[in-house]
C-alpha cells in the first residue's frame, strides 16, 4: 500500500452516544491505530485506540431520496462491546474513513494470524488482495484451510488460489455488473409539501427522481434538453412541470386544455407524449406474436367504426381537442412498470440535471441501434408454446449432473454405503439368497439355456418382478440413505457424535478434499517441482490420516464403530492414492 | 402414433394421447360420417386443436377420391398462428409416414394489414388506411393510368404477381402469416392477393370468424368454398355474440357529420365527372338499368366489403329507378342522413321495430324499403364509377348505407334503439342510434346451410343444450368431455369475506363501498407477497377497474403492491395493452414477477393465455354480469324470452358463468400446468337469487377443466 494510503485525517465530531451533540475535533487514522484530538484541548474526550482491538464498523447510509440527509456517522465497535461514534461533515469524508478502516481491519485480521499474504513469486494488485481477504473473511472454512496449508507451507498462495479461480472471477464480475434499478414505487409519490398558510407548494427533486421522470416521460426529457438553459432556468422548468402535474391531478381535461392554450411552454407537459406513441409503434413490431392483439385489430371487421354493438367501455366520448390532454393513471402505471423493467441505463452519480439528461439520450441511441428483431425467434417461440410436452416420450432421461457442493452431503450418503459393506445388512435385503454354490449356479444356467433353446427368447427376457428385485437390492442403500437424509437430517450418524468430534471430522474431510484436489491436479509429474509438491501433499495427507486414527481412539466406545465407518472411505482414498502415486513415481523415475 | 378409429387411420404427432382426445375424435368422426353438425365441449389444456386437426386431415387422407376442405375459424390472429404451428407439426409427422401422399396446402388468411409486405403501404396506421393505401396503388383504374403514365406509382409486388399470372402459386406446405409474408418477399409477389387466390386450392384454411359470419367479409372471401367442407369454430363459446355483432350497426352524430362530408365530396366528384367524362356516369346508369348493381367480374383489387345482408336475402334484381342516376341517389342519401339526424335529437330513450322505423322513414323522408335495401350496392357501384381510392375516408357514408340495407332487408330479429345519453353519464349528451341484431341464428344460418359439417367447439359450452337454441341448428353429435387429471393442478377457491369479516361483492349497491374496495386491495396485497411469478386479476368492467385502481392509488395499496410485483393494466388502447402484456411476460420470464389487471369480456380475457409461470394465480373480483340496465341487452333478453323461451335470469347467469370460466381458465393451458383460482364475491356462495347454481357450475367446470 502506498504511503498516502497509510494514514488519513478528517474533521469530525466525537460522540460518546448517538444523542450526544459531539465534540468537534480531528480524527487521524494510521495503519495501527486511530486518534481523536478535540479542538478544545481541555476537553476530556480524547481517543487513542489501536485497531487490533476494533471488531467492526457501522455507518449510516446516504439516502438521496430523503429531503434531509441523515447525519454521516461512523461507529467503531471494539471487542469489549464499547463503541466510538464519529460524525463527519459530509458523506465523502465518511466514505474515505470507512474504506480506510475496512482495509485496516481486514488486514489486521490477517496480520495477527499470518505474517505474509503475498508470495514473492507473484505481483498482486491491491484490488486482488482485497478480494482474497474478503473471501477469506466471509468464509471461515476457507480461512481455516488457508491457514493450515498456505501458512503451514504445504501449498503456496498461488497454488491455493489457482483452484479457486472461479470464486475470484465470480466475485469480480459481480462487482462490475450489479447496478441498482429504478424504484418500484411510482413517481406520483412525490407529494409537494405546503406550508399551510400560503398557496405555495414545495417539491424537492433529487437526481434519482429526475432521472426517473426523464426515463418515463420522454417529452419532458426532450423539452429539458431544448429549453434549459437557453429558454428558461432549470428552476422555472421544474416549476412548470409540477404545475402541469398538479393540473393533471385535478382530472379535468377541459381545464387542462384551457391552461395549455394560454401557455405554450406549459402545453408541452400537458399534451400527450408523442415520442412515447412513436416508440410504442416501433415496439409493437417486436412484440411476442402470442400476445399481439394489434394484429387482431387489423383483422377484425366488426370493429369497423360504428359496426357491432356498443358495449360498456368500448365507447369513448371525447372531443378530439381535449383528447390530447387526457391522461389516465393506467397509462402512467404501465409506463412506469415498463421503465422499471427495462432497468436503468445510466448510473446516477451525476449531480447535474443536464448531465443526466444527456447521458440518458446517449443510452437511448445505443438502444435504438441494437433494435433488430428476429423472425426465427418468434417462430421458435410459437412452436414451443404449441407443443404438448407430456404427450411426448421423454427423449433424455432426467439426469442430474454430479456436483458435490457441500462435502457434508456426500459424507452422509457415504455412511450408508459404509454400513452396508460392513455386513450390517438392512432388513429387506436378507431374504435374497446371496450365496449359491458353483453347482447350483451352473445348474441354473444350464436350465435357463435349455429353456431358451426350447422356447426361444421370451419377451421379456427377464421377468419384470425379478428385474425389479435385483434393481431394488442394488439400489437399496442409495434410496435409504436418501430417505434418511431427506426426511430427518438430525438422525444422521454424524449428528449423533459429540460436537467437537463432528467438527474435527468435517474439517479433516474438507482438508483431504483440498489436498486431493491439488494432488490430482499435479499429475502427470513432469517436473521436479511437481514431484516435490506431490510428496509434500502426501506427507500432509498422511498426517491427517494419523489424526483421524487419533480421533477414532479418543471417542467414546459407543461411537467408535460409527466413526470408523465414517473414516473408512477416507482411508480408502488414501490407500488408493498411495498405491497409485507409487506407480507414478516409478514411471517418472523410469 | 398411428391408430385406427373404425375404418380411418389417424396420424397423431405425439407418442401418447389423452383418453379424452381419443373419445373426442370418435365423436367427431361420427359427425363427419353423418355429414352433420356437431357441438363438442372439452376443457382447455387437453389438446383440442391437435385432435381436431389430426382427425380431419386423416379423414381426408382416407378418402382421397372426395377430399374435404377444412375451414378452421379462430377468434384471433395469434390463435390462427398457433393453430398453423400445430398443423405444421402434424404435417411433418404425416409426411414422414406417408410421403408425398400426405402433401397438403394450408394457409392462414388475414387482412392486408397483416399480410402486406410493401413498406409504403403497411406503414399506414390501421387496417382501413392500409386497405386504402393498397387500393391507391392497385385499383384497376390506377393501374390503367400507370400503364400510360410511368409516374403514377403502383405496387411492384402486385405487378409482379399479376405478371406471373397462373404461375403464381404456393407450393404445398403449411403457411402461417409470417411464412406467407416471407414467401411473398422472396418471390416478389403480393402475399395478400396470392393467399386470396390460393383459398380455392388450399386443403386447410385458417382464418377469423368474421370471414364466414360477417356477410360483408364472407361475401368477398368465402363465396366460392365448396359444400364438401368441414367448418370448425374453435373457442366458440362467444359465437352468438360474434353473430349478432356482425349484423349490428350504430349511428352517432360523428357518423352523420362524416357522412355529410362524404356526400359533399361525392357530389364534387360527380360534378367533375360530368364536366370531363360524362360518358362514365351514363354507362353506369345503363348498366344499372340492365340489371345488377355491380359488374359481374370485378378485378380482385377493386373489391370492397360486400353487402352487409346475408347472401340469400340480397335481391337479384335491377336497382330501383329512383336511385339509378347518381344525383338522385345522392339526394336520397342526403334525405336519409337528415332524417337520422332528426331522430338523434331526442330527449328520451326510444325503442322501435324495423317495420315501424321503415314506415316512419317513408312518411318523413319519402324513402321506401326497396330503395333502402339497394343503398349499399348502389353506393359501391357509384364509388367504383367515380374511381375513389381513399376508401378509408368514406367509412361514414358506408356505415349509413349498411344501416339502410340492413333495415330494408330484415323485419324481424332486430330492433332500433335510440339513446340520448349514456345511462351512467346522463350529463353528457351522446346520442346513439343503434340497429341491433338479437338473433344469433341469422348470421350463422348460411354457414349451416352451405357446408356439410360445422363443428362448434370450446372449453366452456355448458349448458350445452343452450347453443342449438341460440343458433337454431340441429347437431348430430352434442357431447361434453371431462378432463382426466392425474394430479390436482388447480386450486379453485371462493372468497366471500374480507380480512375484516365483511362480505365482499361487486353487486351494484356494494361495489363502491370503500370497505369492499379496501378488502379487495388487501386480498391482492397479501397474495402478491406470497405467490411467485405472474398473477392475473379480472374486474367486471373497465369503469370499475379504473375506479378501484384510483382508490387503491389514493390509499397507498397500489404502492404496497408495487413493492412486490410490477403492475400492468389493460387499457382500451390495443397498442398500449399489447405492450403491457409483452412487458408483463418479460417481467415473469426474468423472475421479477408481475400483476396484470384485466377486464372480463375484454380482449385479453378473450384471447390471451396466462399459462405456466405467466399465471400462477388468477383472481376474479366480482361476478361478471352484463350491465343489466343496458337497453340493448334488455331488448335482446326480451327477444330471447319471446322467441326461444330462454328466461332472462338464466341467460344472464349463463353469460356470467361462461365469462368467469373463461377468465379463470386462462391460467391452465395444459395438464403439466398448475395454478390457483380465487373467486372473490359473496354471490359465488350465498344461496340467494340465482347464484347457487353459478358456483356449483363453475366449480364443476373447473374440476372438469
Amino acid at each position: 500500500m502506498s504511503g498516502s494510503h497509510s494514514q488519513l485525517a478528517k474533521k469530525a465530531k466525537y460522540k460518546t452516544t448517538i444523542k450526544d451533540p459531539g465534540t468537534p475535533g480531528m480524527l487521524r487514522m494510521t495503519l495501527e491505530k486511530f486518534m481523536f484530538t478535540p479542538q478544545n484541548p481541555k476537553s476530556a474526550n480524547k481517543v487513542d485506540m489501536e485497531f487490533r482491538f476494533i471488531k467492526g464498523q457501522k455507518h449510516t447510509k446516504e439516502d438521496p431520496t430523503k429531503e434531509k440527509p441523515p447525519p454521516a456517522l461512523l461507529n467503531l465497535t471494539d471487542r469489549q462491546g464499547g463503541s466510538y461514534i464519529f460524525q463527519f461533515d459530509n458523506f465523502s469524508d465518511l466514505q474515505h474513513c470507512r474504506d480506510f478502516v475496512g482495509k485496516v481491519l481486514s488486514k489486521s485480521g490477517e496480520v495477527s494470524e499470518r505474517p505474509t499474504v503475498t508470495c514473492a513469486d507473484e505481483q498482486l494488485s491491491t484490488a486482488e488482495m482485497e478480494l482474497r481477504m474478503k473471501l477469506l473473511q466471509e468464509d471461515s472454512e476457507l480461512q481455516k484451510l488457508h491457514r493450515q496449508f498456505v501458512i503451514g507451507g504445504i501449498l503456496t498462495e498461488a497454488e491455493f488460489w489457482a483452484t479457486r479461480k472461479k470464486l475470484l472471477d465470480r466475485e469480480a464480475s459481480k462487482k462490475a455488473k450489479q447496478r441498482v434499478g429504478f424504484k418500484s414505487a411510482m413517481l406520483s409519490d412525490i407529494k409537494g409539501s405546503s406550508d399551510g398558510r400560503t398557496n405555495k407548494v414545495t417539491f424537492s427533486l433529487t437526481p434519482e427522481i429526475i432521472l426517473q421522470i426523464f426515463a418515463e416521460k420522454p417529452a419532458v426529457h426532450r423539452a429539458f434538453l431544448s429549453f434549459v438553459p437557453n429558454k428558461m432556468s432549470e428552476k422555472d422548468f421544474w416549476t412548470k412541470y409540477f404545475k402541469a402535474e398538479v393540473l393533471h391531478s385535478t382530472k379535468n381535461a377541459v381545464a387542462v386544455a384551457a391552461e395549455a392554450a394560454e401557455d405554450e411552454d406549459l402545453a408541452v407537459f400537458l399534451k400527450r407524449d408523442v415520442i412515447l406513441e412513436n416508440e410504442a409503434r416501433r415496439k409493437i413490431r417486436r412484440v411476442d406474436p402470442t400476445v399481439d392483439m394489434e394484429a387482431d385489430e387489423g383483422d377484425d371487421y366488426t370493429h369497423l367504426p360504428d359496426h357491432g354493438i356498443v358495449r360498456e367501455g368500448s365507447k369513448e366520448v371525447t372531443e378530439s381537442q381535449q383528447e390530447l390532454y387526457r391522461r389516465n393513471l393506467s397509462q402512467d402505471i404501465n409506463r412506469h412498470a415498463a421503465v422499471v423493467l427495462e432497468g436503468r441505463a445510466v448510473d446516477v452519480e451525476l449531480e447535474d440535471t443536464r448531465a443526466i439528461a444527456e447521458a440518458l439520450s446517449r443510452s437511448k441511441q445505443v438502444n435504438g441501434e441494437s433494435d433488430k428483431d428476429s423472425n426465427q425467434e418468434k417462430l421458435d417461440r410459437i412452436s414451443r408454446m404449441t407443443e404438448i410436452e407430456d404427450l411426448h416420450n421423454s427423449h433424455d432421461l432426467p439426469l442430474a449432473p454430479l456436483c458435490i457442493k457441500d462435502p457434508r452431503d456426500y459424507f452422509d450418503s457415504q455412511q450408508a454405503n459404509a454400513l452396508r459393506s460392513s455386513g450390517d445388512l438392512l432388513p429387506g435385503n436378507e431374504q435374497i439368497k446371496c450365496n449359491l454354490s458353483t453347482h447350483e449356479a451352473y445348474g441354473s444356467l444350464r436350465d435357463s439355456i435349455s429353456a431358451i433353446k426350447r422356447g426361444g427368447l421370451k419377451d421379456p427376457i427377464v421377468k419384470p418382478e425379478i428385474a425389479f428385485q435385483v434393481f431394488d437390492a442394488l439400489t437399496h442403500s442409495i434410496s435409504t440413505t436418501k430417505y434418511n437424509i431427506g426426511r430427518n437430517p438430525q438422525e444422521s450418524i454424524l449428528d449423533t457424535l459429540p460436537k467437537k468430534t463432528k467438527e474435527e471430522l468435517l474439517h479433516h474431510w474438507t482438508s483431504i478434499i483440498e489436498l486431493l484436489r491439488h494432488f490430482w491436479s499435479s499429475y502427470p509429474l513432469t517436473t521436479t517441482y511437481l514431484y516435490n509438491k506431490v510428496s509434500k501433499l502426501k506427507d500432509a495427507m498422511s498426517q491427517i490420516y494419523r489424526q483421524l486414527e487419533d480421533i477414532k481412539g479418543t471417542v467414546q466406545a459407543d461411537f467408535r464403530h460409527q466413526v470408523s465407518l465414517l473414516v473408512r472411505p477416507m482411508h480408502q482414498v488414501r490407500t488408493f492414492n498411495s498405491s497409485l502415486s507409487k506407480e507414478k513415481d516409478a514411471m517418472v523415475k523410469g | 402414433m398411428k391408430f385406427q378409429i373404425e375404418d380411418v387411420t389417424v396420424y397423431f404427432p405425439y407418442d401418447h394421447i389423452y383418453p379424452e382426445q381419443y373419445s373426442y375424435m370418435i365423436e367427431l368422426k361420427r359427425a363427419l360420417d353423418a355429414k352433420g353438425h356437431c357441438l363438442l365441449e372439452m376443457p382447455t389444456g387437453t389438446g383440442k386443436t391437435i385432435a381436431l386437426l389430426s382427425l380431419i386431415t386423416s379423414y381426408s387422407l382416407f378418402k382421397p377420391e372426395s377430399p374435404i376442405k377444412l375451414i378452421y375459424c379462430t377468434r384471433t390472429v395469434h390463435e390462427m398462428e398457433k393453430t398453423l404451428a400445430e398443423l405444421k407439426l402434424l404435417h411433418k409427422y404425416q409426411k414422414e409416414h406417408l410421403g408425398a401422399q400426405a402433401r397438403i396446402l394450408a394457409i392462414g388468411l388475414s387482412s392486408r394489414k397483416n399480410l402486406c409486405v410493401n413498406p409504403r403501404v403497411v406503414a399506414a396506421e390501421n387496417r382501413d388506411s392500409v386497405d386504402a393505401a393498397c387500393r391507391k396503388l392497385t385499383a384497376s383504374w390506377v393501374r390503367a393510368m400507370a400503364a400510360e403514365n410511368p409516374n403514377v406509382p403502383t405496387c411492384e409486388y402486385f405487378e409482379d404477381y399479376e405478371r406471373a399470372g397462373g404461375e403464381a402459386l404456393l407450393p404445398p406446405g403449411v403457411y402461417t402469416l409470417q411464412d406467407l409474408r416471407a414467401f411473398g418477399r422472396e418471390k416478389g409477389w403480393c402475399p395478400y392477393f396470392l393467399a386470396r387466390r390460393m383459398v380455392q386450392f388450399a386443403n386447410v384454411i385458417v382464418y377469423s370468424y368474421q370471414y364466414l359470419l360477417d356477410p360483408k367479409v364472407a361475401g368477398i372471401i368465402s363465396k366460392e368454398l365448396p359444400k364438401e367442407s368441414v367448418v370448425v369454430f374453435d373457442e366458440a363459446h362467444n359465437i352468438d355474440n360474434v353473430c349478432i355483432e356482425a349484423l349490428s350497426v350504430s349511428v352517432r352524430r360523428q357518423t352523420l357529420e362524416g357522412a355529410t362530408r362524404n356526400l359533399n365530396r361525392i357530389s364534387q366528384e360527380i360534378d367533375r365527372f360530368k364536366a370531363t367524362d360524362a360518358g362514365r356516369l351514363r354507362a353506369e346508369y345503363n348498366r344499372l338499368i340492365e340489371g345488377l348493381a355491380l359488374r359481374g367480374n370485378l378485378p380482385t383489387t377493386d373489391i370492397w366489403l360486400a353487402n352487409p345482408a346475408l347472401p340469400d336475402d340480397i335481391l337479384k334484381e335491377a336497382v330501383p329507378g329512383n336511385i339509378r342516376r347518381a344525383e338522385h341517389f345522392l339526394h336520397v342519401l342526403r334525405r336519409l342522413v337528415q332524417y337520422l339526424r332528426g331522430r338523434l335529437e331526442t330527449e328520451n330513450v326510444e325503442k322501435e321495430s324495423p317495420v315501424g322505423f321503415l314506415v316512419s322513414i317513408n312518411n318523413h323522408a319519402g324513402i321506401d324499403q326497396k330503395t333502402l335495401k339497394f343503398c349499399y350496392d348502389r353506393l359501391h357501384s357509384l364509388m367504383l364509377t367515380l374511381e375513389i381510392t381513399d376508401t378509408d375516408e368514406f367509412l361514414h357514408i358506408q356505415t349509413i348505407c349498411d344501416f339502410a340495407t340492413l333495415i330494408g332487408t330484415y323485419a324481424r330479429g332486430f330492433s332500433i334503439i335510440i339513446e340520448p345519453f349514456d345511462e351512467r353519464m346522463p350529463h353528457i349528451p351522446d346520442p346513439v342510434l343503434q340497429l341491433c341484431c338479437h338473433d344469433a341464428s341469422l348470421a350463422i344460418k348460411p354457414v349451416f346451410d352451405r357446408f356439410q359439417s360445422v363443428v362448434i367447439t370450446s372449453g366452456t359450452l355448458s349448458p350445452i343444450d343452450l347453443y342449438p337454441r341460440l343458433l337454431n341448428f340441429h347437431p348430430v353429435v352434442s357431447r361434453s368431455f371431462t378432463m382426466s387429471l392425474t394430479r390436482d393442478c388447480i386450486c379453485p377457491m371462493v372468497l366471500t369475506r374480507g380480512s375484516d369479516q365483511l362480505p365482499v361483492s361487486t353487486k351494484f349497491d356494494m361495489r363502491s363501498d370503500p370497505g369492499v374496495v379496501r378488502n379487495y386491495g388487501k386480498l391482492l396485497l397479501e397474495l402478491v407477497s406470497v405467490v411467485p411469478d405472474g398473477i392475473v386479476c379480472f374486474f367486471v368492467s373497465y369503469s370499475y377497474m379504473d375506479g378501484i385502481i384510483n382508490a387503491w392509488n389514493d390509499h397507498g395499496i397500489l404502492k404496497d403492491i408495487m413493492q412486490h410485483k410490477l403492475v400492468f393494466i389493460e387499457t382500451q388502447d390495443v397498442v398500449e395493452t399489447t405492450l403491457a402484456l409483452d412487458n408483463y411476460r418479460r417481467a415473469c420470464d426474468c423472475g421479477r414477477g408481475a400483476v396484470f389487471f384485466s377486464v372480463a369480456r375484454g380482449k385479453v380475457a378473450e384471447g390471451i393465455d396466462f399459462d405456466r409461470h405467466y399465471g400462477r394465480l388468477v383472481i376474479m373480483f366480482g361476478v361478471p354480469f352484463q350491465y343489466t340496465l343496458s337497453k340493448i341487452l334488455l331488448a335482446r333478453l326480451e327477444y330471447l324470452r319471446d322467441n326461444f323461451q330462454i328466461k332472462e335470469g338464466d341467460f344472464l347467469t349463463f353469460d356470467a358463468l361462461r365469462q368467469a370460466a373463461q377468465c379463470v381458465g386462462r391460467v391452465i393451458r395444459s395438464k403439466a400446468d398448475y395454478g390457483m383460482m380465487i373467486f372473490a364475491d359473496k354471490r359465488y356462495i350465498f344461496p340467494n337469487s340465482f347464484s347457487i347454481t353459478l358456483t356449483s357450475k363453475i366449480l364443476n367446470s373447473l374440476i372438469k377443466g
Side-chain angles (χ1 to χ4, degrees), chain A residues 22 31 44 47 72 131 196 206 229 237 272 280 289 316 323 325 374 466 474 477 494 507 509 533-534 542 567 579:
Chain A
L31 288 178
V47 179
L131 183 62
T206 63
F237 180 85
R272 236 174 6 180
E316 283 188 30
E323 183 55 28
Y325 302 107
S374 56
I466 295 175
L474 287 174
S477 65
L494 204 57
H507 176 65
W509 183 248
K533 184 181 164 190
V534 165
S542 54
V567 167
S579 61

Side-chain angles (χ1 to χ4, degrees), chain B residues 14-60:
Chain B
Y14 295 103
D15 303 313
H16 306 280
I17 186 166
Y18 295 136
E20 54 268 35
Q21 280 178 322
Y22 183 71
S23 17
Y24 186 92
M25 287 186 190
I26 292 177
E27 295 296 335
L28 188 59
K29 177 169 181 295
R30 284 206 187 121
L32 294 184
D33 284 342
K35 297 191 194 306
H37 311 315
C38 70
L39 198 59
L40 297 169
E41 179 189 27
M42 185 159 83
T44 48
T46 45
K48 250 190 322 285
T49 309
I50 191 68
L52 265 168
L53 291 174
S54 69
L55 183 88
I56 295 175
T57 48
S58 304
Y59 194 88
S60 182

Side-chain angles (χ1 to χ4, degrees), chain B residues 111-340:
Chain B
S111 61
R112 290 183 175 90
K113 172 95 171 63
N114 291 336
L115 279 175
C116 182
V117 286
N118 188 329
R120 275 175 299 155
V121 174
V122 85
E125 205 166 317
N126 55 41
R127 190 200 55 241
D128 304 308
S129 35
V130 172
D131 283 359
C134 177
R135 229 168 252 131
K136 270 174 209 158
L137 299 178
T138 58
S140 53
W141 56 90
V142 173
R143 295 181 58 227
M145 230 174 353
E148 289 161 21
N149 178 1
N151 291 330
V152 173
T154 54
C155 173
E156 58 274 27
Y157 290 98
F158 182 75
E159 295 302 323
D160 285 353
Y161 163 75
E162 275 290 289
R163 227 166 282 137
E167 299 292 303
L169 292 173
L170 274 174
V174 178
Y175 295 87
T176 64
L177 301 185
Q178 184 101 44
D179 299 331
L180 281 172
R181 281 198 298 267
F183 182 80
R185 253 188 225 115
E186 185 197 323
K187 294 272 184 184
W189 294 339
C190 173
Y192 174 73
F193 287 105
L194 180 63
R196 284 272 301 272
R197 189 151 71 106
M198 294 314 288
V199 163
Q200 50 179 315
F201 305 109
N203 306 77
V204 182
I205 306 161
V206 184
Y207 56 31
S208 151
Y209 277 27
Q210 279 120 33
Y211 285 58
L212 269 189
L213 293 179
D214 189 341
K216 296 190 285 297
V217 197
I220 49 172
I221 291 178
S222 311
K223 232 176 358 190
E224 282 155 9
L225 296 174
K227 179 164 174 55
E228 290 74 34
S229 304
V230 179
V231 177
V232 175
F233 289 104
D234 197 3
E235 303 286 341
H237 44 272
N238 275 338
I239 193 168
D240 53 327
N241 289 335
V242 179
C243 290
I244 62 171
E245 289 205 0
L247 294 179
S248 297
V249 181
S250 65
V251 176
R252 292 158 181 283
R253 267 192 199 149
Q254 295 94 304
T255 325
L256 293 176
E257 282 160 20
T260 311
R261 278 198 305 274
N262 294 160
L263 288 176
N264 292 340
R265 170 89 192 276
I266 292 176
S267 154
Q268 283 166 17
E269 292 286 320
I270 291 175
D271 290 345
R272 191 167 64 85
F273 268 94
K274 264 188 185 160
T276 57
D277 191 4
R280 284 190 70 92
L281 287 169
R282 209 171 303 120
E284 187 199 22
Y285 181 82
N286 292 333
R287 201 179 68 237
L288 291 173
I289 291 177
E290 277 163 24
L292 291 174
L294 296 175
R295 280 169 280 168
N297 290 321
L298 281 178
T300 47
T301 50
D302 294 359
I303 291 176
W304 232 29
L305 286 182
N307 196 307
L310 297 163
D312 295 348
D313 303 322
I314 298 170
L315 288 183
K316 305 277 185 286
E317 55 184 270
V319 172
N322 58 344
I323 54 171
R324 279 185 207 149
R325 286 184 70 89
E327 306 92 316
H328 294 167
F329 178 56
L330 215 58
H331 277 299
V332 166
L333 287 182
R334 279 195 203 278
R335 287 209 302 278
L336 179 64
V337 169
Q338 190 57 40
Y339 173 77
L340 292 175

Side-chain angles (χ1 to χ4, degrees), chain A residues 296 298-299 307 313 334 390 393, chain B residues 15-16 18 77 111 402 569 572:
Chain A
D296 299 339
D299 199 41
H307 282 75
N334 281 337
D390 53 345
N393 273 336
Chain B
D15 303 313
H16 306 280
Y18 295 136
V77 172
S111 61
D402 276 358
I569 301 174
Q572 303 191 29

